[in-house]
Amino acid sequence: MADEPEVAARDALRQGPALVVLTGPPGCGRSTLLRRIAGSVPGPAYIGGGLAMLSAVPALALSRAVRARLPADDVHLLAEAVRSRVRGGLLVIDDLQHVDAATVAALPHIARTCRVLVAVRTPHRLPGDAFAGLRAAATAWLPVPPLDPVSAAVLARQTAARLDDASAAAVVARAGGNPLAIIALARQAAAGRAPVGEDIDQVAYAIAAALADLPRPARTALAALGLLGRPAPPALLGTGAADLLASGLVTAEATGALLPVSAYVAETAAGLLDPAARTDLHLRLAELTPAAEAARHLAAAGDTAGAYRKALTAADRLAGAERAALLLFACALDVPADPRVRLAAADAALAAGRPDDAAEVLRPLAVTVTSAASPPADAPLDSAAPLLVSAAPLALEAAVLRGEALLQAGDAAAARESVRLVPDAAAAAVVAARDRVLLLAALAIEPMSARDLADKIAVRHPEPSAGIAAALAAVRAAHRLPGWDTGLAQASEPGGDPLVTRWSAWLLVEHLAADGRLVDSARAATRAAQSSGEALAYGWQTRFLAAADWALALHGHHLGLPATAPPGAVPADAPAAGVSASDVPAFELSDPLAGPDFGALIPSAAPSAAPAAAPADLPWDGAEGVLRRAANLTDRALPAEARAYATAATALIEADTGLLAAARARLGTSPAHPAPAWVAREAAWLDGQPDRAVHDPHATGTGLLAGLHAITAQWAGHDLGTPGTSAVPVGLPGAARRTLTAWAVGSGFTAAADGWQTVALREQVRCLIAAGLTEPDRDRAIAALLHAEQLADRAGLAVLAGRARRGLRRHQIHRDTRSPRSGGRLTQRETDVLRLVAAGEPTRRIAGQLGISAETVDTHIRASMRKLGARTRTEAAALAFAPEPFDNSEDGR
C-alpha cells in the first residue's frame, strides 16, 4: 500500500528519538510525503534540505533547518548545536543527496536524542562510507512505493479533469505509478498530445514537452533555478519569474525567494539547454551570485582560471571549514595552482579536521620533490640537499606539512617517507617540522628506536619548538623516562599550537591513568577540558571531561564520606555539577557560532562535603556529581573515546552501588574500548556471573586497565574454581602488579591492599576480601574482611560490602547489617521517584515525567534516603528495589 511508508515513519517518530529515511527516484513523491509526515507528527518541525550547487558548503542543510549558522569544523559540536535547538521537535532534511559530508556524519549523532526525518533521491552520489553509516544508523529505511492504479487515476483526473477514460488509462499505464510522470503526462494528454512509445523516459519526455509550452523567459528562469540549485529572488530570475508562478512550477518562500515545486523539473530544464546556452547562463549567474557560488558557476562554464581567482577571493573572506572547502576546490581545478595556495589549502584542511584532504592537495608538490630533486639510489642522503633547496623553495615546506597530515591521518610510514628527503640545510622551522614527523613516526612504528632518535634530535634542537618539545615529551612518556610527566605538562600548556597542546594533554591524561595516578590524571583532564571549552573545541573538551570522570569514578575515594561524618551527611539536594541534556539552553541565534555551556560539567570548586582522602586542590562533589556529569555526557553527541570513558564511569558507579541492570543496559551501547570492556566484565562478576567475566586478551588496553582486566579474570577463575594464569602483564602500576603476584602465590593480599589505598578504593576493598578468603589465620582474615566491609559501606559499594559479609559468615560471624530506618514505608510517589533515579534520570527529567516540581522531587528523595538510611540517592534507589536491602544472602545484592 502507498501509505505504508507514511504509517511506518509516523510510528517510528512518535516512539522517541529515531532516524527515518525516505528513498526513491525522481518524481516519486518523496518531498510531498516528507512534508505530510512532518505535519502529522506532534511538535515543531525544523525543515531544511540540501542544495545542488551548494552541496560543498559545510552544514548548509542543517543551517537552513534551524535558521542559524552552525560550527561545521567539529561534527560532534555540529550535532550538539542542532540537538540543542531541535530538542523535542522534528528535524526534517530533504534532498539529502545534495548535502555535505559533515551533515551526513552528524545525522546519526543527532538521531540519538532527537527525531530526524530525511529524504534522499536515488540514485545518489553520497560517499560509500557515509551512506553505509547512514544506513546502519537508520531506525527505518523506507522506499517510497509507486502509486497504485486507483490513486494514480485519481491524480490524473485531478490534474486534467477533462481526460476521457482511455486517455487516463494510458497515462496511468505509462507513468508507472510515478506522481510527477502522471501529472506531466496528464497535462500533455489534456493538451491533445498523444503519449509516445514506451521505449523512452516518459517522465523526461513529459517534462520536456511541458517546458516547451512555456515562454522563453520562463524556461530560462526555470533553467537558472536548476543551475543555482537553491531558491532565488525574482529579480535574479528576470521577467520569466511571474510566468513560473502563474504556471505553478515554483512557489514563494516567506522571504520572497522562489523555489521550484520539483527540483528534478528545474534540473531537467537546465539539462535541456544546449551547451552554448548552458555556458552562457552559468556566466550570467556568476555575475549575479556571491563569490563562493560564482566560482562554481565559472568552473561549470569552463572558465577554470576565472573560477580559480574567484575561489581565492572568496576564501580570503571566510574561515574554518568553508575556507578549507573553497581552497581545496580551487586546487582541484584544471589550472596550475600556486604552491602557496596548496600550502594554505592544506593548512586550512588540517585545521578543519581533514588530514586526508590536506595530504592529497599537497601530493603534486611531493611528486615535484621526488621526481625533480631525488638523488640517485646509491647517493648519500645529503647529496639531495642542493637540488631540493634550489629546485622548489616551497617543496620542502610542503613535504613536512604533508608528513604532518599523513601522521594525523594515521599513516606513520607514509609520513616518514614524505619527509625523508628534507635535508638538514633547509630552514630551521622546516627541519624542526621534519624531525617532529620522523620522531612521532618512529614512535608509532619502532618505539624502541624512537628513544635513540629522540636523543639525536634533542641535541640538534637545544631550544626546541613547541612541536619538537611535544614529540620529545611523547617519547619520554612512552618509555617512562624521568621527567616525562613534567615534559608533557609543559607541552600541554595553553597558548601554543592548539593541536599540539591538546594532543600532549591527552597523552598526559592517559599515561597518568595507565600508571595508576588517577587523581593526577583527573586534575590534568579537568584543566585541559577548561582550556578546550574556552576555545569551543567541543570534541577535545568532552574527551577530557569523560576521562576526568572515569579517573574519579575508578579512584573511588571521593565516593565515601569522612570517617567522622554521620550517615546522610551529604545533602540530597546539594547542587549537581552536571546538568541534564534538557537543562542546556538553546544556542542564542544572535551568536550563531556559540555552543551550549559545558562549563557546568566540570566539577564544582566548592563541594558540599569533601572526604578526608581527597586532595585539596582537586574539587569534586561526590558520587552523585560524577554520576550526573558522566551520564549527562552519554546523552550527547560525543567522539568515540569520550563516549567510552563516560559510559565506563557511569556504569562502574551504577554496578558498584547495586544498579547492575542499569549498568548492563548502558554498557550495551558503548563503543569498543578497554575501559567499558573491563566494566562489563566487572559488572558480570559483581552480578554473580563469573563465566561472563573471563579474561579476553584482545581488549585489555595497557597499564592500569590491563591490570584490572587481569585481576577480574583472577576473581572469575576463583569463583568458577578454575585458577587463572600466573603470568603478570608487563608495564603495570605497582598496586596491580602486587595484586596479581598475590594471586599467583596465594598470599600477600593485605600488603597489596595497602598499595591501592591512594589509587582505587574498590580495588583496596577487593584485595582485603581476597585476604579474608586466603589468610590461614582466622583473626587476620576476619580483620581484613571487617576492614573491607567498613570501607565498602562508607563508600556505598553495596555489592562488595555483601561479598565481605559473605566472607565473614564463613567464619561464623552473623551480624544484623540492616541500615537504621525511620520505621515508615516508602510512599507510592517516593517509589516512583526512586524508580526513575534507578533508571539514571536527573532531577529535572523526573520532575517532567511525573508532573511535579524539581523541589518536590528532591523532597521525596531526601525522605526516601532518611527512611532507608542511605547516604546518596543512588544508594537509596539500590536499597529500595533490592529484594531485601543488605540482607544476609551470599553476595549481599
Side-chain angles (χ1 to χ4, degrees):
M1 296 297 292
D3 60 348
E4 287 181 356
E6 183 173 355
V7 174
R10 287 174 179 170
D11 290 344
L13 294 170
R14 284 173 176 167
Q15 291 175 6
L19 173 60
V20 175
V21 182
L22 303 177
T23 68
C28 70
R30 293 181 325 279
S31 299
T32 301
L33 182 59
L34 195 77
R35 284 164 174 75
R36 194 161 66 232
I37 295 170
S40 65
V41 175
Y46 299 83
I47 301 176
L51 299 174
M53 181 56 72
L54 303 180
S55 59
V57 178
L60 177 63
L62 295 173
S63 296
R64 293 180 66 202
V66 299
R67 300 295 187 266
R69 284 185 60 210
L70 295 171
D73 292 1
D74 186 325
V75 168
H76 299 94
L77 179 56
L78 170 62
E80 189 62 24
V82 175
R83 185 200 65 81
S84 69
R85 286 181 169 86
V86 174
R87 300 194 179 213
L90 175 66
L91 176 65
V92 182
I93 302 295
D94 198 2
D95 290 322
L96 194 68
Q97 70 278 2
H98 292 321
V99 305
D100 64 293
T103 296
V104 178
L107 286 176
H109 297 292
I110 300 170
R112 293 187 71 253
T113 53
C114 297
R115 297 175 300 166
V116 181
L117 174 64
V118 303
V120 57
R121 183 198 299 173
T122 54
H124 58 78
R125 296 182 181 179
L126 295 175
D129 54 348
F131 180 77
L134 186 72
R135 187 69 186 258
T139 308
W141 191 276
L142 306 172
V144 178
L147 293 179
D148 60 75
V150 175
S151 300
V154 170
L155 180 58
R157 291 290 187 187
Q158 290 174 345
T159 303
R162 298 180 181 179
L163 281 182
D164 56 57
D165 292 342
S167 298
V171 166
V172 170
R174 294 181 182 278
N178 185 294
L180 180 60
I182 293 169
I183 294 171
L185 289 172
R187 287 175 176 170
Q188 293 303 302
R193 298 187 180 92
V196 297
E198 297 182 3
D199 58 338
I200 71 165
D201 186 340
Q202 296 289 334
V203 179
Y205 167 78
I207 292 173
L211 294 179
D213 291 338
L214 290 174
R216 183 180 180 85
R219 293 200 305 272
T220 303
L222 190 58
L225 282 173
L227 295 181
L228 283 169
R230 63 170 176 83
L236 187 148
L237 300 176
T239 58
D243 290 328
L244 290 181
L245 274 170
S247 65
L249 291 172
V250 299
T251 58
E253 293 188 329
T255 59
L258 299 183
L259 179 71
V261 172
S262 168
Y264 179 68
V265 171
E267 292 167 12
T268 302
L272 291 174
L273 296 173
D274 59 72
R278 191 180 305 114
T279 297
D280 182 62
L281 188 52
H282 271 301
L283 292 173
R284 288 163 57 192
L285 290 175
E287 298 173 356
L288 301 171
T289 53
E293 196 173 348
R296 302 183 187 279
H297 283 296
L298 289 172
D303 185 4
T304 52
Y308 178 80
R309 293 192 298 270
K310 190 69 77 172
L312 297 187
T313 301
D316 285 342
R317 303 170 187 169
L318 298 171
E322 292 179 83
R323 172 179 167 82
L326 270 171
L327 289 175
L328 291 171
F329 167 77
C331 293
L333 293 170
D334 188 18
V335 295
D338 190 312
R340 291 169 295 182
V341 173
R342 291 191 177 276
L343 287 169
D347 265 328
L350 277 177
R354 300 171 62 177
D356 291 310
D357 290 328
E360 184 62 29
V361 78
L362 292 173
R363 183 186 293 276
L365 299 184
V367 171
T368 299
V369 171
T370 56
S371 61
S374 296
D378 57 349
L381 182 60
D382 288 346
S383 65
L387 287 172
L388 285 169
V389 175
S390 61
L394 295 178
L396 301 180
E397 187 177 343
V400 296
L401 185 58
R402 186 167 188 268
E404 182 70 32
L406 290 167
L407 199 62
Q408 290 187 34
D411 193 346
R416 182 164 62 180
E417 183 63 24
S418 176
V419 303
R420 186 179 65 85
L421 294 177
V422 176
D424 293 344
V430 172
V431 172
R434 176 204 66 182
D435 288 349
R436 167 184 162 79
V437 172
L438 288 174
L439 187 52
L440 292 178
L443 186 60
I445 301 170
E446 302 167 346
M448 297 310 298
S449 69
R451 184 169 174 177
D452 292 336
L453 181 59
D455 291 337
K456 298 175 183 177
I457 289 176
V459 172
R460 183 180 296 153
H461 302 276
E463 296 182 1
S465 64
I468 286 289
L472 291 171
V475 173
R476 289 197 296 271
H479 294 279
R480 296 302 193 273
L481 300 179
W484 69 267
D485 48 355
T486 303
L488 275 180
Q490 291 173 346
S492 63
E493 286 296 326
D497 183 335
L499 177 66
V500 170
T501 58
R502 291 166 196 155
W503 174 76
S504 300
W506 185 249
L507 283 183
L508 178 63
V509 167
E510 289 221 303
H511 283 318
L512 288 171
D515 282 1
R517 296 167 59 181
L518 297 173
V519 172
D520 291 337
S521 177
R523 184 185 294 114
T526 301
R527 285 198 302 265
Q530 184 72 45
S531 173
S532 299
E534 291 170 356
L536 293 181
Y538 174 80
W540 283 104
Q541 182 193 21
T542 52
R543 269 209 276 181
F544 287 122
L545 287 172
D549 279 330
W550 163 247
L552 293 177
L554 186 54
H555 179 59
H557 291 280
H558 67 291
L559 301 180
L561 297 171
T564 57
V570 178
D573 56 351
V579 292
S580 73
S582 59
D583 295 333
V584 180
F587 293 11
E588 295 296 332
L589 297 183
S590 58
D591 185 5
L593 294 182
D597 178 14
F598 289 97
L601 294 176
I602 297 176
S604 168
S608 56
D617 62 339
L618 181 61
W620 50 45
D621 52 0
E624 291 300 317
V626 175
L627 187 61
R628 290 181 185 182
R629 285 193 304 274
N632 178 38
L633 277 176
T634 61
D635 286 341
R636 301 179 181 277
L638 301 177
E641 274 186 301
R643 182 166 301 283
Y645 278 125
T647 301
T650 307
L652 181 62
I653 294 176
E654 289 173 335
D656 277 341
T657 52
L659 300 178
L660 291 160
R664 284 194 298 270
R666 193 177 301 278
L667 289 163
T669 63
S670 174
H673 188 278
W678 171 69
V679 176
R681 294 192 182 98
E682 185 67 9
W685 176 77
L686 290 171
D687 201 23
Q689 303 178 65
D691 55 306
R692 297 178 57 189
V694 293
H695 188 58
D696 182 355
H698 301 296
T700 59
T702 58
L704 179 60
L705 270 173
L708 292 173
H709 274 276
I711 291 168
T712 298
Q714 291 287 357
W715 273 107
H718 173 272
D719 290 357
L720 291 170
T722 55
T725 177
S726 60
V728 178
V730 298
L732 301 183
R737 186 174 61 254
R738 285 190 289 272
T739 301
L740 290 171
T741 300
W743 277 108
V745 302
S747 64
F749 286 105
T750 303
D754 292 339
W756 289 107
Q757 188 170 1
T758 58
V759 180
L761 175 62
R762 69 180 315 281
E763 294 307 313
Q764 182 185 7
V765 171
R766 284 215 292 181
C767 273
L768 289 170
I769 294 173
L773 297 177
T774 59
E775 177 60 57
D777 184 278
R778 181 176 184 273
D779 291 340
R780 285 199 291 267
I782 291 174
L785 290 168
L786 288 172
H787 191 195
E789 181 191 31
Q790 179 189 32
L791 290 175
D793 273 340
R794 185 179 302 162
L797 303 173
V799 185
L800 289 180
R803 293 263 175 170
R805 282 189 280 276
R806 183 175 68 180
L808 287 169
R809 287 194 294 275
R810 291 182 177 179
H811 293 285
Q812 290 75 49
I813 296 179
H814 299 275
R815 296 157 40 250
D816 183 5
T817 58
R818 297 171 185 266
S819 301
R821 301 190 180 209
S822 63
R825 305 182 69 178
L826 294 181
T827 67
Q828 183 59 48
R829 180 61 84 187
E830 288 167 353
T831 301
D832 292 341
V833 169
L834 288 185
R835 184 172 287 107
L836 291 173
V837 170
E841 298 287 0
T843 296
R844 287 181 181 268
R845 286 189 182 177
I846 295 173
Q849 292 185 46
L850 297 181
I852 57 180
S853 69
E855 292 75 14
T856 302
V857 171
D858 287 335
T859 299
H860 286 312
I861 291 175
R862 286 196 296 272
S864 303
M865 290 171 61
R866 184 173 62 253
K867 291 178 181 180
L868 297 171
R871 297 180 179 88
T872 68
R873 56 192 271 162
T874 305
E875 184 182 355
L879 290 170
F881 298 108
E884 181 59 39
F886 289 98
D887 64 1
N888 289 327
S889 63
E890 285 200 339
D891 58 8
R893 286 179 284 113

